Amino acid sequence: MPISVNVRTYTGETLAACTHPAIGGLCRRAAALALPMLGHVDPYDDTWFNKSQMRLLVPELRALIDSTSAPETEAAAEVLALAEQLELKPHRYLVFVGD
């Protein structure tokens, strides 16, 4: 099962999800570029990001949108849209769900 991304509440409720098949490739590219947030997503376990960590993760996603292949660009744009939801209310997390 490929990596997916969810927006979750502190109680674990999933509010939104992205299952783009290129998310794993996007994370591998981020690791190759030594990006500090997206580059450390664990492909085999859940990786949680909180609202304050978005200050680092969002610029990484934007940079990857400008420099990756078409499928990875689409995946980065979808994950960025989910990340923006963390600004709407407190106690929301962006969760990369490994397989």
Side-chain angles (χ1 to χ4, degrees), residues 1-5 23-29 31 37-49 95-99:
M1 183 172 177
I3 296 175
S4 62
V5 182
I23 293 172
L26 182 69
C27 293
R28 286 188 295 277
R29 178 177 295 281
M37 303 301 282
L38 193 58
H40 287 95
V41 168
D42 186 342
Y44 305 107
D45 201 358
D46 295 351
T47 305
W48 292 64
F49 294 103
V95 182
F96 286 74
V97 181
D99 63 3

Side-chain angles (χ1 to χ4, degrees), residues 13-97:
E13 176 187 4
T14 299
L15 302 175
C18 171
T19 58
H20 196 287
I23 293 172
L26 182 69
C27 293
R28 286 188 295 277
R29 178 177 295 281
L33 295 170
L35 297 178
M37 303 301 282
L38 193 58
H40 287 95
V41 168
D42 186 342
Y44 305 107
D45 201 358
D46 295 351
T47 305
W48 292 64
F49 294 103
N50 63 33
K51 185 176 178 177
S52 67
Q53 292 169 315
M54 291 300 103
R55 291 177 295 156
L56 297 173
L57 184 63
V58 167
E60 289 181 9
L61 289 167
R62 288 187 179 139
L64 288 168
I65 286 171
D66 296 332
S67 66
T68 61
S69 66
E72 290 175 0
T73 296
E74 293 169 6
E78 289 183 26
V79 173
L80 183 59
L82 290 180
E84 291 171 351
Q85 292 187 26
L86 272 66
E87 293 295 324
L88 300 175
K89 290 188 178 179
H91 308 296
R92 291 185 178 189
Y93 303 91
L94 190 69
V95 182
F96 286 74
V97 181

